Amino acid sequence: MSEHNAQPPSGDSHDHYRGHHGHGEETHPGHSTLKGYMIGFVLSVILTAIPFWLVMANVIESAGLTALIILAFAAVQIFVHMIYFLHMSPKAEGGWNLLALIFTLILVFIALAGSIWVMYNLNINMMPGVMSEPVLEMQNQ
């Protein structure tokens, strides 16, 4: 008998002979069903439609408060996409996906905070108007 026709050992935890998808097997963690995708889609549509309505109908007079509400809806939508479409959870792939996401978010935060800090300091320390004011005052005296 050749190696290709050999049966897998009885204790094999991952049966390569049956395939990975379907055939009556249970859904693996991290995989989704049509119901899961539809829930994610409906939530995404709702989380997009509400901010659109807030802006188009001018429901809230304060532009700053409207922007904060839209940012909150955007943050919730990010989590909906991560859970329902990217299948990120602490259980998926032993938690490595979630750990990589957290590490990426920390790096993005450091890059953004550092950039804002540098731009703020450049704005304060290098403004041409600030440097020319004492010169104009001296010329007027």
Side-chain angles (χ1 to χ4, degrees), residues 72-141:
F73 274 98
V76 172
Q77 192 166 96
I78 288 171
F79 284 109
V80 166
H81 283 258
M82 285 175 21
I83 292 167
Y84 287 101
F85 300 122
L86 298 176
H87 313 296
M88 293 185 110
S89 71
K91 298 174 190 170
E93 295 187 27
W96 286 108
N97 280 346
L98 189 61
L99 189 63
L101 173 71
I102 292 169
F103 180 69
T104 302
L105 290 175
I106 290 170
L107 288 178
V108 167
F109 175 77
I110 290 170
L112 287 175
S115 297
I116 291 171
W117 180 46
V118 167
M119 288 186 286
Y120 174 78
N121 283 319
L122 285 174
N123 186 36
I124 294 298
N125 295 323
M126 304 288 284
M127 285 296 294
V130 174
M131 297 181 78
S132 63
E133 285 177 14
V135 174
L136 289 175
E137 287 177 11
M138 290 177 65
Q139 288 175 353
N140 289 337
Q141 291 179 357

